[in-house]
Amino acid sequence: MAKVIGIDLGTTNSAMAVMEAGEPTVLENTEGGRTTPSVVAVNPKSNERYVGMAAKRQAVTNPENTVYSAKRLIGRKFAEVSSEIRSLSYEVKAGKGGDAAIVMGGKEHTPPEISAMVLQKLKADAEAKLGEPVTQAVITVPAYFNDSQRQATKDAGTIAGLEVLRIINEPTAASSPTDWTRRMTRSSPSTDLGGGTFDISILHIGDGVFEVKSTNGDTHLGER
Amino acid sequence: MSTDEQQQDAPASEVPQDRLEAMAAERDQFKALAQRAQADFINYKRRTDEERPNIARTAVGGLLARLLPAVDDLDRAVDALPADAPASWAEGVRLVRQNLDALLEAEGVKRFTPAPGETFDPAQHEAISQLPSAEQPAGTVLTAVRSGYRYGERVLRAAQVVVAREPG
């Protein structure tokens, strides 16, 4: 049975894992890292594309064609992201249907297309590690993501050649492997200090069912 | 014939149909579980077999990567040796540095310092800034600020460089 990979598609970094003997195991990328920077770039002269650490390392030489924090734009209208754009080094404009569109290498890309490039690298690295094709994935999103943002994240997976079996809330994914969640009924906080954001959610867990009661945080606390 | 024997010999037709179906379903469920567990185990074994030689390398690589800042510090100390430092002491510090280099080399760690004019390659170089230059073509290394290290095929640490851009 082919493996399903679980992907944490982060604002700053992404990670992937598979279930092995009932336990999640994080897979290293080909560079040997347990996380991959969620950064994509195109060299305007050679048209070469960089994803992950290589894209991050060349960022200062090519800021206008280095796309990071695409998660802040995914599934959102151009009109909604004016405050986000001010802190970005690449151009964002209104694309089809008023959606935010990213200009990289002189071409317009949708945020799901950019995220798909990160997912493609994760998929390829997972395949190299597992020695078998990976076609199915579960991707996590912040609990506060709306339907449009969830759908756009799913689209990113599809573009990357992955069948997205489910979109899971990040705090739910973080809490679900713990043993007590299978046995207890309780409310519990879940905090996530990431590279770009800090999120806190209050979950109610009962009979293995997770309900996000409320969520808050600072969407600009962290590296970027 | 005792009651026990009667029960054991009871033909299948006497077991209620729904119970038979439930048992068959349960059997299939456990069979699938066993097959999955076996496949998981085979894959896991194959991967750990493949990874075994790498595990030592990864562990050593992790330690070496953490050691490199200390090597950098020693480099800076050697570079900043005062002119009036006792000759034997200065020589001693240089020897410590050489010994460390020899040890790293013996472990398969290779230091690399990109030369000015070398094409900037983000797979092994990390750009920390970009400066206009008339001497070096745009998109090439202007100066190396910190050496990089390779451990076998893997880039243990990228070399930090300043990249040249068109003057003006």
Side-chain angles (χ1 to χ4, degrees):
Chain A
M1 198 170 67
K3 289 273 183 207
V4 177
I5 51 171
I7 297 175
D8 170 6
L9 184 60
T11 308
T12 315
N13 293 301
S14 296
M16 54 184 168
V18 287
M19 290 301 276
E20 251 171 4
E23 294 291 328
T25 309
V26 172
L27 296 177
E28 288 179 355
N29 61 23
T30 47
E31 293 88 34
R34 286 163 63 88
T35 60
T36 299
S38 308
V39 185
V40 179
V42 165
N43 182 329
K45 286 188 187 128
S46 63
N47 247 345
E48 200 176 341
R49 188 198 288 171
Y50 307 110
V51 183
M53 194 45 107
K56 195 175 170 179
R57 284 188 190 135
Q58 59 79 64
V60 295
T61 69
N62 185 24
E64 60 277 17
N65 296 301
T66 302
V67 180
Y68 52 89
S69 294
K71 190 174 176 179
R72 296 192 191 283
L73 308 173
I74 202 161
R76 300 179 76 184
K77 297 285 178 199
F78 178 72
E80 293 171 341
V81 295
S82 55
S83 64
E84 301 283 0
I85 296 171
R86 262 177 262 143
S87 59
L88 301 174
S89 62
Y90 51 91
E91 190 190 344
V92 180
K93 52 159 99 171
K96 222 185 265 175
D99 288 344
I102 293 162
V103 183
M104 180 178 74
K107 273 193 226 153
E108 230 176 83
H109 298 270
T110 64
E113 280 167 4
I114 299 289
S115 294
M117 294 173 196
V118 176
L119 292 174
Q120 259 159 10
K121 176 179 166 51
L122 297 180
K123 176 178 186 280
D125 287 3
E127 285 172 345
K129 194 88 188 168
L130 297 169
E132 58 181 307
V134 172
T135 56
Q136 294 178 315
V138 170
I139 304 177
T140 60
V141 295
Y144 56 76
F145 257 30
N146 62 28
D147 284 346
S148 161
Q149 289 167 302
R150 283 163 201 269
Q151 185 55 48
T153 304
K154 204 170 177 181
D155 292 346
T158 310
I159 298 167
L162 290 165
E163 183 195 348
V164 181
L165 299 180
R166 211 177 291 183
I167 294 284
I168 297 182
N169 284 328
E170 285 163 5
T172 303
S175 310
S176 48
T178 51
D179 199 41
W180 59 264
T181 59
R182 297 190 191 111
R183 291 182 272 112
M184 293 177 80
T185 297
R186 61 179 288 178
S187 290
S188 165
S190 157
T191 57
D192 174 7
L193 179 55
T197 67
F198 174 59
D199 304 315
I200 177 158
S201 305
I202 305 297
L203 301 176
H204 184 261
I205 303 158
D207 300 327
V209 176
F210 292 73
E211 190 190 348
V212 179
K213 301 296 273 188
S214 69
T215 174
N216 209 324
D218 183 335
T219 57
H220 285 88
L221 184 73
E223 191 182 339
R224 294 203 185 270
Chain B
M1 202 184 264
S2 75
T3 327
D4 273 2
E5 279 169 335
Q6 267 175 355
Q7 266 180 1
Q8 273 172 14
D9 290 345
S13 60
E14 284 179 22
V15 179
Q17 189 60 28
D18 57 343
R19 189 161 147 66
L20 254 183
E21 279 169 12
M23 282 162 72
E26 202 176 6
R27 182 203 61 200
D28 291 346
Q29 191 192 337
F30 281 114
K31 200 170 153 192
L33 190 69
Q35 281 169 341
R36 261 208 306 278
Q38 194 180 21
D40 253 3
F41 180 71
I42 291 168
N43 284 333
Y44 180 74
K45 190 169 177 303
R46 179 186 51 75
R47 222 175 67 228
T48 45
D49 284 350
E50 279 170 11
E51 279 178 353
R52 197 163 295 132
N54 290 331
I55 289 173
R57 290 186 76 85
T58 308
V60 174
L63 173 67
L64 290 170
R66 288 205 301 280
L67 190 70
L68 294 178
V71 177
D72 293 335
D73 288 343
L74 197 53
D75 273 341
R76 282 189 277 269
V78 170
D79 288 344
L81 277 176
D84 59 351
S88 59
W89 182 79
E91 191 49 33
V93 175
R94 279 193 199 94
L95 275 174
V96 171
R97 179 70 190 86
Q98 274 175 27
N99 282 345
L100 199 53
D101 250 353
L103 182 144
L104 290 171
E105 192 115 11
E107 285 295 322
V109 179
K110 286 205 177 73
R111 188 219 287 249
F112 64 97
T113 311
E118 201 176 297
T119 305
F120 170 68
D121 173 11
Q124 47 183 342
H125 305 154
E126 178 188 356
I128 56 161
S129 71
Q130 196 173 217
L131 287 175
S133 167
E135 292 95 58
Q136 302 302 341
T140 66
V141 173
L142 189 58
T143 49
V145 178
R146 200 179 71 175
S147 295
Y149 287 88
R150 262 189 220 100
Y151 184 45
E153 300 282 291
R154 193 176 141 199
V155 175
L156 205 54
R157 188 178 81 181
Q160 285 186 339
V161 298
V162 176
V163 178
R165 68 171 152 83
E166 318 265 329

